[in-house]
Amino acid sequence: MTHVKLWDIYFYQPLSVARVFLFVKNFYAVIALDIWVLMLSHGARYRGDEFNVAHFAWLDALPWRVSPALYVGVMLAAGLCAFFVACSPFRELPRLCVFLLYTYGWSMSMLDSYQHHYFLSLILFCRCFIPGNVFLGDIAERKQEIWPFRMMTLTVALLYLFAALGKLESGWRDGRLLSHMIDASAARWLSPLRVVLGENMWPVMAGLVITTEALIGLGYLVVPWLSSPLRWVTLALAIGVHVGIEIVGLRIGWFSSYMMLLATWVFVPSAYLHRGYRVFVSLRSLVRLPYGIALLGLIAAVGLAMHMVALPGAPVALGAFVVLLAGFGLYDRGNKKNGALNTLPSAGFLSTLALLVAIGVSDARFDYYRYAGKDAERKGELKVALSAYTKAERYAPAGKSRAHKIQTLKKRLSVRGRR
């Protein structure tokens, strides 16, 4: 078989459209929730009056300063656009907006040092090239060439294979690095292994990690040729390794969740995905709103979010999202077949509603203001710290009150004022 034929089979072999559809829907929804629940609170560290270095040198030449409002605004808008993609017919422009906003959000400062954010941007970049018309009509059991999806699986394969290669140096193979990475509380889970393997436990575990990551990487690399049993085996390995990461305390944000989601939609056999697609379609019909009601709901939800989110940059981001919705509508006005114009208000309303729920049930606002207070206190800016902790107290969950810290800061300011 020639190299050209192998290339054609890998990238252009028809694959289940339902697989791509379900994966993209779920992936963008998870991206949005990750941003709102976890990433927004990190904006408190982006003090605009301080020295900043971006991930890419050309970003440092931009005329504006990095600030909490800029970071929160960009990431909040990225989350809204991502959830919009999850709720609406597929078009390229909203996906491109998600890629640009998300990538600029983490790359504007080295304060974001999570390497998996770079990886997620690569995945989002691949998504931009999935043609919107692929998903028109009945796609339940249809197969079609979708090369960007294969580009994504190749990217994931390289991630796992390089992770395995990077662990071949002696410090990892003898288990020293692994033993230092696992915290004491998680090590209790490994007691049975220690009894069986004794001093060889850490080298054996290190070898298992290398082998498992290499097998997962190979699974992604040759996924077009995998039989159904091998798909299930690779899926079990991928989920198992990331469940293990969570158990032993090596969590890095939502990275494991993303990787398990990727493995699920890549390796689950197509027959099960066709059933999942039909369930999704039936659920989608339940939340489809009349155009007028959806438009009024969108206006009300945006207004409520401007009040409830209560983070710097949020009002501007919400206003920008409304402008983007108008732009998406203009972009799709000539594509009546996909029904984008009819579902645009519903998708925008559901996106804003999801933001309100995510912000309301999470600790995002509390974390943002307590981080801001801690940073200001460390720098001796007691008034700024007091203001931040006072705001944090409004959103403090049970058992995490900052009342004592507020009283302490008031006393320190009183003493400073008498000097």
Side-chain angles (χ1 to χ4, degrees), residues 5-46:
K5 287 183 179 178
L6 285 173
W7 175 276
D8 288 343
I9 290 173
Y10 189 85
F11 285 103
Y12 300 109
Q13 183 187 54
L15 66 139
S16 168
V17 179
R19 182 185 303 281
V20 184
F21 180 92
L22 289 171
F23 174 63
V24 175
K25 288 285 187 182
N26 284 268
F27 187 82
Y28 278 102
V30 174
I31 280 272
L33 295 175
D34 181 20
I35 290 172
W36 298 332
V37 172
L38 194 63
M39 295 180 69
L40 285 185
S41 60
H42 297 168
R45 300 177 296 171
Y46 288 64

Side-chain angles (χ1 to χ4, degrees), residues 10 65 105 111 155 158 199 204 216 252 256 320 334 346 373 390 401 408:
Y10 189 85
R65 282 186 172 184
L111 288 168
T155 302
L158 293 174
E199 295 181 356
V204 169
I216 297 169
I252 307 173
S256 290
S346 291
T390 301
S401 173
T408 301

Side-chain angles (χ1 to χ4, degrees), residues 165-199:
L165 288 172
K167 294 179 175 67
L168 291 179
E169 55 93 20
S170 60
W172 180 273
R173 284 187 289 109
D174 62 21
R176 283 178 296 162
L177 287 174
L178 185 60
S179 65
H180 290 308
M181 291 169 66
I182 297 177
D183 57 45
S185 60
R188 290 198 297 268
W189 289 82
L190 305 175
S191 298
L193 280 177
R194 189 183 297 276
V195 173
V196 175
L197 300 174
E199 295 181 356

Side-chain angles (χ1 to χ4, degrees), residues 152-362:
M152 182 212 69
T153 59
L154 178 61
T155 302
V156 182
L158 293 174
L159 173 73
Y160 277 108
L161 291 174
F162 274 96
L165 288 172
K167 294 179 175 67
L168 291 179
E169 55 93 20
S170 60
W172 180 273
R173 284 187 289 109
D174 62 21
R176 283 178 296 162
L177 287 174
L178 185 60
S179 65
H180 290 308
M181 291 169 66
I182 297 177
D183 57 45
S185 60
R188 290 198 297 268
W189 289 82
L190 305 175
S191 298
L193 280 177
R194 189 183 297 276
V195 173
V196 175
L197 300 174
E199 295 181 356
N200 294 322
M201 184 187 76
W202 293 115
V204 169
M205 286 189 61
L208 285 173
V209 171
I210 295 171
T211 304
T212 303
E213 289 183 341
L215 289 173
I216 297 169
L218 287 172
Y220 275 102
L221 193 62
V222 300
V223 66
W225 300 281
L226 284 183
S227 63
S228 182
L230 287 178
R231 283 178 173 271
W232 287 116
V233 170
T234 311
L235 175 61
L237 289 174
I239 291 180
V241 74
H242 288 287
V243 168
I245 287 172
E246 296 292 306
I247 290 175
V248 300
L250 299 179
R251 177 181 298 176
I252 307 173
W254 285 19
F255 178 66
S256 290
S257 300
Y258 285 114
M259 301 314 291
M260 287 188 283
L261 186 69
L262 277 163
T264 299
W265 297 122
V266 169
F267 293 113
V268 169
S270 297
Y272 297 91
L273 297 174
H274 299 157
R275 299 171 193 168
Y277 170 74
R278 292 190 180 93
V279 171
F280 180 89
V281 170
S282 62
L283 291 175
R284 184 175 61 180
S285 64
L286 296 176
V287 297
R288 186 172 295 170
L289 300 173
Y291 189 92
I293 294 176
L295 185 61
L296 291 175
L298 172 62
I299 295 170
V302 169
L304 184 60
M306 286 188 176
H307 172 71
M308 279 193 61
V309 176
L311 293 173
V316 175
L318 287 159
F321 177 59
V322 173
V323 173
L324 285 173
L325 288 180
F328 298 157
L330 290 173
Y331 178 74
D332 263 325
R333 69 186 186 278
N335 298 285
K336 297 180 180 179
K337 289 184 179 180
N338 68 357
L341 290 177
N342 293 331
T343 60
L344 188 144
S346 291
F349 169 61
L350 291 173
S351 303
T352 313
L353 189 62
L355 167 67
L356 287 168
V357 173
I359 291 293
V361 302
S362 72

